[in-house]
Amino acid sequence: MKKLKGLTIKEASKLLEAKEISAKELVADYISRAKKLNKNLNSFLTFAENEAIDQAERIDKLRRDNQKLSPLAGIPFAAKDIFSTKGIKTTAGSKVLESYIPVYDATVVGKLFEAGACIVGKTNQDAWAHGSSGENSDFRPTKNPYDTSRVPGGSSSGSAVATAADQVIFATGTDTGGSIRLPAAFCNVVGLKPTYGRVSRYGIIAMASSLDSIGHFTKTVFDNALVLNTTAGLDEMDATTSPLKIDNYTDEIRKSPSGLKVGLPKEYFEGLNKEIKQNITKALNVLERQGVIIENVSLPHTKYGVATYYIIQPSEVSSNLARYDGIRFGYDRDNFGAEAKRRIILGTYTLSSGYYDAYYLKAMKIRRLIRQDFIKAFKKVDVIITPTSASLPFKFEEKTDDPLTMYLSDIYTTNINLAGIPSLNVPCGFIDNLPTGMQIIGPDFSEKLLYRVGHSYEQESRWFERRPNL
Amino acid sequence: MVREETEFVNWEAVIGLEVHIELSTKSKMFCGCSTDYFTAKPNTHTCPVCLGLPGAMPKANKLAIKYTQLIGLALNCKTRTGSKFDRKNYFYPDLAKGFQISQYDLPFSENGHMFITTNGRTKKIGITRAHLEEDTGKLIHTKLNGTRLTLVDFNRSGVPLIEIVTEPDISSSLEAKTYARNLQQVVRYLKVSDADMEKGSMRIEPNVSLRKVTKGQESMVKELPPYKVELKNINSFKFAEKAIEYEIKRQRKILESGKMPKQETRGWNETKQETVSQRSKEEAHDYRYFPEPDLPPFAFEEKYFKSISEEIPELPDEKRKRFTKDYSLAENDARTLTEGVELAKFFEEAAGAYKKDPKIVANWITGEVLRRLNEENKTISDSPLLPASLAELLFLIDKGEITKANGKEILANMIKTGDDPRATVIKLKVTGISDIKLEEIVIQTISRNPKAIEDYKKGKEASLMFLIGQVQRITKGQAKPEKVREFVLRKLSEAD
């Protein structure tokens, strides 16, 4: 039998198409590895073996009938446990929903099933997607496969780890303030936070509705574009999805980025850790050699980002978590963890009459200024590149005593959510054997362009080939 | 400091009305579930959206928004080009999401007015706003195996609900009732709701307070009282009237004793015939409104408002004025005929077919037709009676083919069956000939049979039967026997 480990979607899909392997073999192989590694990594909360094998058998039959199939057909994947999956437990990483089984699929889950992807299971996360390290999971913390004494980043911890540790070939995630990009950077995988409104939020348990972006993790940029080809698009069930026609994201991905202008926002490089700065400079040198033009830009409202984010986000959280009262489903509010309670209290306060204008309304105004900063910068440059994180993957419990320090983990990512624009984390080398990432940020609906730049860099740097030792 | 001498005149009621009306769209406000919940089995008209399941998202019902704008336009409101939904956050077990999607600072319609007439005086009532929101589920308190339980039915959850708020321009229970009735009428004319108080598709919440009126200030702009009492639990116009009256008396008593009534919410208790305190100001909610992030804001063009305003039919006020003018109807008749759009239409069609004095048609409708319908607790739309048939009936009466009295009997049957008047005459065997004609025949018959009259006077009862038989023969049985008997007897006695 073929060596099935370490496959990309592109490679696996080729093997399946050539009938060199069956979907059932592929899926079974991934499930057994996923289960074995989970004892050490805690990346999964629930396995869906039966569903995955049933789907794989269905795909194999269609393939035997010579049906034309999606490149995702027969590909083992995982969904963050915040995506509603009909008949499969969906906890959002919280004890409140410990036994909740949805009666319907999230739109994105439905689209992936329709394309023939096989769900290996549901991945661990910070409860309700509140967190940057995975330590806020109400069940157990997920570990970084490159160093199991360190955090994998959060909140989509399990999905990043499952992709990096080859437990699945791709995994879905949500990014409200960096929850895809940060764990992607910490785990040496590609993670996309798409434009707000590009991918449906329907059926995904809301954290902060005006910021939540639905993305995914893959080993390579090409794979990432393949998944977006399936998940993107207008959804009748989500009024905030855009009617704008979706691109073919793999098309033109190999086109040289030569001539493109890349902006470096000076605010993101001031006071940056020397090693991380060196690392990103090396990456930029690669892109420069490929013909991109580097320019300095300024995003003057950057410094207000985290504060603005920590008003808007908890405000929405406090309202979105109101339905978890234990009356119709789930357990009662005593089961909320400390971080959820903190955000409910913060958000209830900032929305209270007498405080609304000073906090929420003001934050919404600053949010607009932050977006305008980007719009202005994109008049000058095609994309913006910054480090994804100002620090390396940190040790467990290093930041848990001080929520504010933890919040600052997202300092490079939250502003992109406030602006609603897309950003792609691409692995950008190792420091002390720990992964780092850079994010390529573009204007609204520029995912295709981000993939082109990311792919060009990735094909030369080839960091995705450096797998964790497990 | 000098102070003008003020002289106390009276206490004046300051009343504002909040009216909730469920819109009669087929599907709910934010999902595709049916709104026809009234007799449905509990929790059968639900889906992830109206159950507030994790991850579900709202999608606004376009028709419900249009209905709200139509109501706004009909109430002379300014309709907003820029509008949005907001979240109203509060906990209650019938509220699935822990918040209600409503509208806060940018309602679809605002700043309108309505004219009401009470005791011959016309008054303008300001409409503050008309906004759209979703209805809640329903709690059912029950006992199961000896345990008291509260059950929730989410069939009503998410039904589109419009809230119409007035300025505190109302100063009596009669004005309040008149305003609410007019509003119900307008909404029904627009066909956007059945606005049925008993079914709960129209709910009234008056807020009542009293202020002192001093001499010379009666017509000045006056300050609002420093408190306000909200009344809930009102499911008929009558209850609204009684609750307001009770509240005015209650507050007056408190004020006259030198105290200030509490700011609170009170419910009407029909059994006790009084209002009962439900919630005080201290327990009032902070709803923490903020823009609903799942629904992008709306932008409407003036062009759109122009096109939907063309869909607004002639409203009750205009119609009533036109009826008094074009058909020379009395104010009262015009009011009755314009009560509902169907009745008004029936009148206009019948009057058009009849072509003669429309007042006759109006009299028949406001008199006989409505009396018969009311007896059976029906409306004109429930009856198969056609306007043209009523007109034809009136023709037959005019021509003397039937009497007015018989006409009423025929009409009663027509209202039930929808048959035309000629067919009904034959079917009922009511006289096909008018009283005048019958009288003529009776006189002729008597004059031709002097022998029978002699015999009758001698006490021969059989002679009477003979005479009746003769009349029946001539009328070919179209006259009712009792009537013939009555006529013959009368003529016989006159012949004395």
Side-chain angles (χ1 to χ4, degrees):
Chain A
M1 199 170 88
K2 275 262 173 195
K3 179 184 146 285
L4 300 182
K5 200 179 161 190
L7 295 174
T8 61
I9 298 173
K10 195 177 152 190
E11 290 161 353
S13 164
K14 219 169 169 181
L15 291 171
L16 289 165
E17 216 170 301
K19 294 176 185 159
E20 288 186 41
I21 54 166
S22 71
K24 194 177 172 181
E25 282 170 333
L26 179 71
V27 169
D29 183 72
Y30 270 85
I31 291 172
S32 74
R33 185 166 43 252
K35 281 185 160 174
K36 203 176 90 199
L37 291 174
N38 198 47
K39 295 189 182 90
N40 186 19
L41 299 175
N42 297 332
S43 43
F44 281 83
L45 291 175
T46 304
F47 285 101
E49 193 166 349
N50 293 340
E51 285 82 356
I53 295 291
D54 283 355
Q55 170 88 323
E57 284 174 346
R58 194 178 69 85
I59 294 301
D60 284 334
K61 187 180 177 304
L62 292 174
R63 183 103 53 200
R64 281 197 297 277
D65 296 346
N66 290 315
Q67 299 267 350
K68 190 163 166 38
L69 298 171
S70 153
L72 301 187
I75 304 295
F77 83 103
K80 186 179 183 178
D81 213 17
I82 206 163
F83 286 66
S84 294
T85 43
K86 187 176 174 178
I88 304 172
K89 207 162 71 174
T90 299
T91 68
S94 167
K95 292 264 186 201
V96 174
L97 295 182
E98 195 169 4
S99 58
Y100 169 67
I101 298 171
V103 294
Y104 74 109
D105 280 326
T107 298
V108 166
V109 170
K111 281 180 163 186
L112 291 171
F113 285 165
E114 187 77 12
C118 305
I119 188 159
V120 169
K122 306 292 293 289
T123 58
N124 201 354
Q125 58 165 107
D126 288 297
W128 309 106
H130 300 166
S132 313
S133 70
E135 291 164 289
N136 288 335
S137 165
D138 281 354
F139 302 103
R140 48 201 164 266
T142 307
K143 292 174 189 168
N144 193 316
Y146 286 89
D147 178 347
T148 51
S149 70
R150 290 174 190 271
V151 304
S155 65
S156 311
S157 328
S159 283
V161 171
T163 308
D166 216 31
Q167 295 174 295
V168 289
I169 304 185
F170 74 94
T172 68
T174 60
D175 189 316
T176 306
S179 282
I180 287 176
R181 287 161 290 156
L182 189 72
F186 281 12
C187 295
N188 198 41
V189 291
V190 179
L192 173 73
K193 175 241 171 278
T195 311
Y196 185 83
R198 181 73 300 178
V199 179
S200 167
R201 292 185 289 121
Y202 188 79
I204 292 155
I205 297 176
M207 177 195 167
S209 312
S210 75
L211 298 158
D212 293 346
S213 302
I214 311 310
H216 46 270
F217 300 88
T218 54
K219 290 191 184 75
T220 64
V221 173
F222 184 88
D223 276 7
N224 209 285
L226 270 182
V227 176
L228 189 63
N229 276 344
T230 295
T231 58
L234 181 70
D235 179 12
E236 283 295 310
M237 302 302 282
D238 175 356
T240 64
T241 51
S242 168
L244 198 75
K245 206 175 144 283
I246 68 162
D247 285 318
N248 181 341
Y249 296 101
T250 45
D251 197 30
E252 292 178 10
I253 201 166
R254 286 176 196 84
K255 206 171 147 191
S256 159
S258 180
L260 290 177
K261 286 184 183 163
V262 171
L264 302 183
K266 66 173 201 275
E267 294 79 4
Y268 283 67
F269 289 87
E270 283 162 3
L272 178 63
N273 169 305
K274 222 172 100 190
E275 284 172 308
I276 292 178
K277 196 170 182 175
Q278 269 175 3
N279 217 43
I280 198 130
T281 308
K282 273 192 242 164
L284 291 167
N285 289 340
V286 171
L287 282 169
E288 255 187 315
R289 280 202 302 279
Q290 291 174 342
V292 307
I293 301 142
I294 308 282
E295 273 185 35
N296 287 319
V297 292
S298 174
L299 303 167
H301 295 92
T302 298
K303 61 181 172 198
Y304 303 114
V306 173
T308 304
Y309 176 79
Y310 271 97
I311 287 170
I312 294 170
Q313 176 258 101
S315 297
E316 294 182 13
V317 163
S318 71
S319 172
N320 283 336
L321 292 184
R323 71 186 62 186
Y324 302 100
D325 50 21
I327 293 175
R328 287 145 295 133
F329 54 82
Y331 300 118
D332 68 36
R333 298 175 81 74
D334 294 347
N335 292 282
F336 276 125
E339 185 58 29
K341 285 179 184 163
R342 189 175 293 125
R343 294 190 192 196
I344 291 169
I345 293 167
L346 269 175
T348 303
Y349 180 79
T350 49
L351 288 178
S352 293
S353 81
Y355 297 99
Y356 179 86
D357 287 2
Y359 293 107
Y360 189 81
L361 202 62
K362 190 78 155 237
M364 289 303 270
K365 287 177 183 165
I366 298 168
R367 180 179 188 171
R368 187 172 302 151
L369 294 175
I370 288 169
R371 179 169 160 82
Q372 275 164 4
D373 278 358
F374 280 101
I375 290 170
K376 230 164 114 189
F378 288 128
K379 283 187 180 142
K380 239 179 100 185
V381 296
D382 297 297
V383 296
I384 286 172
I385 289 181
T386 80
T388 302
S389 166
S391 76
L392 293 170
F394 44 91
K395 293 264 188 192
F396 283 104
E397 291 176 19
E398 201 178 309
K399 297 186 179 180
T400 43
D401 287 344
D402 182 1
L404 195 59
T405 314
M406 188 68 92
Y407 292 172
L408 290 171
S409 307
D410 294 332
I411 194 157
Y412 282 175
T413 49
T414 53
N415 290 17
I416 285 82
N417 296 77
L418 289 169
I421 54 181
S423 170
L424 182 73
N425 175 77
V426 178
C428 118
F430 288 74
I431 297 169
D432 299 332
N433 292 315
L434 295 171
T436 67
M438 67 173 180
Q439 59 175 340
I440 309 169
I441 307 158
D444 289 343
F445 305 106
S446 65
E447 284 83 356
K448 200 171 168 176
L449 183 64
L450 307 187
Y451 284 139
R452 189 173 139 204
V453 176
H455 183 262
S456 178
Y457 169 73
E458 169 200 77
Q459 289 305 303
E460 189 163 335
S461 60
R462 307 197 74 80
W463 297 114
F464 64 92
E465 289 174 352
R466 186 159 163 183
R467 310 310 311 161
N469 256 330
L470 290 160
Chain B
M1 274 292 272
V2 287
R3 186 175 63 85
E4 290 294 330
E5 176 67 15
T6 54
E7 190 187 328
F8 173 78
V9 175
N10 206 348
W11 294 102
E12 180 186 53
V14 182
I15 302 167
L17 242 53
E18 233 178 63
V19 178
H20 284 93
I21 294 170
E22 275 184 355
L23 298 178
S24 57
T25 53
K26 284 202 173 66
S27 62
K28 290 188 181 179
M29 189 56 232
F30 297 114
C31 61
C33 290
S34 163
T35 53
D36 189 17
Y37 67 85
F38 193 60
T39 53
K41 231 180 116 198
N43 297 309
T44 52
H45 292 185
T46 57
C47 74
V49 177
C50 56
L51 284 175
L53 292 186
M57 294 173 70
K59 185 93 201 263
N61 183 331
K62 208 172 154 186
L63 187 63
I65 294 174
K66 191 176 110 177
Y67 280 179
T68 311
Q69 291 161 331
L70 282 177
I71 291 175
L73 290 169
L75 298 177
N76 309 296
C77 287
K78 185 184 164 304
T79 42
R80 286 194 147 274
T81 49
S83 187
K84 66 176 166 72
F85 282 107
D86 299 277
R87 287 190 186 176
K88 181 179 180 180
N89 295 283
Y90 68 95
F91 171 79
Y92 208 66
D94 66 7
L95 190 64
K97 299 186 295 296
F99 59 82
Q100 179 189 36
I101 304 177
S102 180
Q103 295 194 284
Y104 184 53
D105 53 341
L106 307 175
F108 286 122
S109 306
E110 60 192 350
N111 297 330
H113 62 262
M114 180 199 269
F115 288 101
I116 60 164
T117 305
T118 50
N119 302 326
R121 230 183 96 240
T122 298
K123 184 172 174 180
K124 186 173 170 181
I125 307 296
I127 309 280
T128 316
R129 55 190 279 149
H131 78 242
L132 187 53
E133 58 190 30
E134 54 179 339
D135 212 340
T136 62
K138 224 174 192 167
L139 295 184
I140 297 142
H141 305 285
T142 184
K143 218 171 189 180
L144 196 72
N145 303 328
T147 317
R148 284 152 67 100
L149 284 177
T150 298
L151 306 172
V152 203
D153 176 8
F154 286 103
N155 281 348
R156 198 181 67 177
S157 168
V159 169
L161 195 62
I162 178 173
E163 180 179 315
I164 302 161
V165 183
T166 73
E167 291 291 302
D169 292 343
I170 297 165
S171 27
S172 72
S173 60
L174 178 64
E175 282 182 14
K177 194 175 88 172
T178 308
Y179 163 79
R181 273 196 192 282
N182 283 9
L183 182 62
Q184 183 189 50
Q185 211 184 355
V186 167
V187 164
R188 287 178 174 175
Y189 261 61
L190 293 171
K191 295 190 161 64
V192 299
S193 172
D194 62 0
D196 188 326
M197 295 272 291
E198 277 170 35
K199 284 202 305 195
S201 56
M202 177 168 175
R203 293 162 230 162
I204 302 178
E205 285 165 20
N207 57 69
V208 182
S209 51
L210 297 186
R211 80 178 140 212
K212 208 181 241 183
V213 184
T214 47
K215 197 164 187 181
Q217 291 187 325
E218 291 95 333
S219 57
M220 286 168 63
V221 178
K222 292 163 243 172
E223 262 181 48
L224 287 177
Y227 73 98
K228 152 171 112 173
V229 174
E230 277 182 46
L231 300 177
K232 291 197 191 255
N233 258 4
I234 290 165
N235 35 31
S236 75
F237 290 116
K238 197 173 216 141
F239 288 5
E241 206 176 7
K242 285 200 276 188
I244 292 171
E245 267 160 31
Y246 178 87
E247 202 45 38
I248 292 172
K249 273 185 211 138
R250 188 187 70 86
Q251 291 179 20
R252 189 183 182 131
K253 219 181 234 170
I254 297 171
L255 287 162
E256 280 172 353
S257 74
K259 290 184 205 137
M260 178 72 71
K262 264 207 303 189
Q263 171 122 351
E264 62 183 343
T265 302
R266 298 176 72 86
W268 174 247
N269 186 322
E270 175 64 10
T271 345
K272 292 186 184 163
Q273 293 286 307
E274 60 184 37
T275 63
V276 185
S277 181
Q278 289 186 329
R279 198 169 64 211
S280 75
K281 192 190 175 187
E282 292 74 43
E283 298 161 60
H285 288 120
D286 178 352
Y287 291 118
R288 289 171 283 123
Y289 281 102
F290 75 104
E292 167 55 86
D294 286 337
L295 295 166
F298 301 94
F300 302 98
E301 290 179 24
E302 290 297 345
K303 204 166 64 188
Y304 160 78
F305 291 133
K306 218 182 142 207
S307 98
I308 66 164
S309 65
E310 279 159 19
E311 290 175 38
I312 295 179
E314 184 183 34
L315 293 171
D317 264 355
E318 298 165 60
K319 204 182 273 288
R320 199 184 63 243
K321 279 178 199 152
R322 183 168 62 81
F323 276 21
T324 50
K325 194 165 153 269
D326 292 4
Y327 299 109
S328 314
L329 300 184
E331 177 73 21
N332 256 351
D333 284 348
R335 191 175 293 279
T336 308
L337 289 173
T338 55
E339 194 73 46
V341 72
E342 285 80 15
L343 189 68
K345 193 173 158 222
F346 185 93
F347 162 73
E348 292 208 86
E349 284 180 18
Y354 183 57
K355 291 192 179 73
K356 290 191 259 177
D357 189 357
K359 273 188 279 189
I360 295 172
V361 181
N363 287 340
W364 274 81
I365 295 176
T366 57
E368 270 315 285
V369 174
L370 285 185
R371 189 175 66 80
R372 296 282 181 181
L373 287 172
N374 285 343
E375 273 170 15
E376 289 173 48
N377 211 2
K378 281 184 175 162
T379 69
I380 192 72
S381 339
D382 303 325
S383 164
L385 178 68
L386 297 173
S389 301
L390 175 65
E392 199 185 341
L393 178 73
L394 301 186
F395 264 124
L396 294 181
I397 294 168
D398 290 348
K399 282 202 290 182
E401 288 193 25
I402 48 174
T403 63
K404 205 171 161 185
N406 287 336
K408 289 181 180 176
E409 202 177 325
I410 292 164
L411 179 66
N413 190 271
M414 287 164 62
I415 286 172
K416 280 191 191 130
T417 62
D419 290 343
D420 73 50
R422 282 183 198 279
T424 313
V425 163
I426 293 163
K427 188 175 66 185
L428 295 186
K429 290 194 173 158
V430 287
T431 180
I433 39 176
S434 67
D435 288 3
I436 305 160
K437 186 107 188 192
L438 181 63
E439 198 175 356
E440 231 171 76
I441 294 167
V442 170
I443 292 166
Q444 272 176 23
T445 309
I446 289 172
S447 63
R448 281 180 199 151
N449 295 284
K451 173 89 173 48
I453 294 163
E454 286 302 309
D455 290 349
Y456 174 74
K457 282 181 177 164
K458 283 176 191 156
K460 272 193 178 174
E461 275 296 309
S463 310
L464 177 63
M465 295 316 290
F466 169 77
L467 285 170
I468 291 172
Q470 287 299 304
V471 174
Q472 288 284 44
R473 200 174 52 83
I474 298 165
T475 63
K476 296 185 182 101
Q478 280 183 35
K480 272 171 126 183
E482 308 88 64
K483 193 143 213 172
V484 177
R485 186 186 165 90
E486 182 197 320
F487 271 58
V488 171
L489 280 173
R490 198 193 313 147
K491 286 298 151 194
L492 284 175
S493 63
E494 279 169 12
D496 273 339

